[in-house]
Structures are given as structure tokens and as C-alpha cells.
Amino acid sequence: MIAGCSTGLPAVDARRLGNTTMSASPTCNWYGSSIDLKTYWGDQEVSLYVSVYLPDNWQRPGDGTWCVKARNGEGKPIPFVGVVSKDRDEAGNESTTLVPPIDEKKLNDCLYIVIDPNVTMEGGKIKCVRPVAIMREFRDRSWKSFRIEIPLIPEQRSELTPMPQRVETLSVH
């Protein structure tokens, strides 16, 4: 059995969303990892590095420029396919979509990374960014129930980029 994704990975390894160069300012950076993940392809480890540029006029997921580099324990890339956008209908029911939309017919069986940007706004301005990486499994032409959230640790902790809530009580080095 092959550990990691199937051979012939999709060409979305370091997909960027948006057209701003990552040298734009301000750019925020995070890292994260998870070990001993039980997947269809065997036990996996994942490590990630995430960068984002969110413009002053940011309104919704997809307005920024995201760059995600993820690899398993063997160094194989885990493709990044987009960010999660959450909406509520008139009845208050939440629905999620992926930005940008992807053609699932073109996806290979593999583990994929999506980002929940988790941006908090106040007075029309970004107050806080606490993204979470979500590892998903796509197999047999559909998304499977496998869903692992990986908290992302900011490279520079600030009011804008605080520690993730799930790991605030852990000792992080």
C-alpha cells in the first residue's frame, strides 16, 4: 500500500488564491502539524506552512491571497484546493462552499487541504485572523467523511493573529 496520496498528484501543490504577490504587506504566516492520522492510505503525518495577504477591503473568503504548502511525513505534497466560505440562508441554516469552486471530476484520489479563514470583522475592518487547516479525503469521485482540523500557529502572535483557541492552553515552542 502506498502511504500518502496516489501517484500522479494534481497540479495544485502550491495553489495561490488571488493575484497579489506574497511579498505584499501585510502578509501573515502560520505553521501547523498533526501526527498519527488514520487515513485510507495508512498512518499519516502532515506539516503545513500557510501565508495570506488580506487587503484592507477584504469582505469574504476568496478576497485575499492564500499560499499553502503541505507535506506528509514522507515529503509528498498534499494539495491545497481552496478556502471555505460559510453562508446562512433566511432560516439561519449554514452552508459551506469552496472558493474557488473546483471541478471534482478532475480531482485525483488523494488527501487535500482546505483552509477555513476564520476572519473576525469589527467596524468593517479585520479584527482577527485565526485560520484552521482542514485535511479532507477525496476518493472514488467524492469527498469522504474523513475530516481533520489542524490548528495553525502564527509565526508572530499579535492581536490580529492570536494563538488558535484549541491550543492556547498547550505549551507551544
Side-chain angles (χ1 to χ4, degrees), residues 12-13 15 17 66-68 78-83 113-115:
V12 291
D13 177 28
R15 185 176 189 188
L17 301 184
W66 292 85
C67 181
V68 177
I78 300 173
F80 165 58
V81 291
V83 295
I113 297 290
V114 298
I115 298 292

Side-chain angles (χ1 to χ4, degrees), residues 143-159:
W143 293 105
K144 301 304 178 186
S145 61
F146 179 87
R147 182 184 193 280
I148 301 292
E149 290 189 3
I150 303 168
L152 296 172
I153 314 281
E155 272 194 347
Q156 294 187 359
R157 190 169 153 182
S158 69
E159 192 173 307

Side-chain angles (χ1 to χ4, degrees), residues 28-34 46-52 66-70 80 82-83 113-118 128-135 148-157 160-168 172:
C28 302
N29 304 295
W30 295 265
Y31 62 91
S33 64
S34 193
V46 63
S47 60
L48 316 117
Y49 186 78
V50 176
S51 294
V52 68
W66 292 85
C67 181
V68 177
K69 296 179 182 176
F80 165 58
V83 295
I113 297 290
V114 298
I115 298 292
D116 181 346
N118 202 13
C128 172
V129 185
R130 275 189 170 145
V132 175
I134 304 166
M135 191 160 68
I148 301 292
E149 290 189 3
I150 303 168
L152 296 172
I153 314 281
E155 272 194 347
Q156 294 187 359
R157 190 169 153 182
L160 177 65
T161 58
M163 289 292 286
Q165 293 173 329
R166 286 183 37 193
V167 295
E168 282 181 332
V172 179

Side-chain angles (χ1 to χ4, degrees), residues 41-62:
W41 293 280
D43 292 354
Q44 297 289 315
E45 296 177 18
V46 63
S47 60
L48 316 117
Y49 186 78
V50 176
S51 294
V52 68
Y53 167 75
L54 298 176
D56 290 337
N57 62 348
W58 187 92
Q59 295 293 313
R60 62 192 164 279

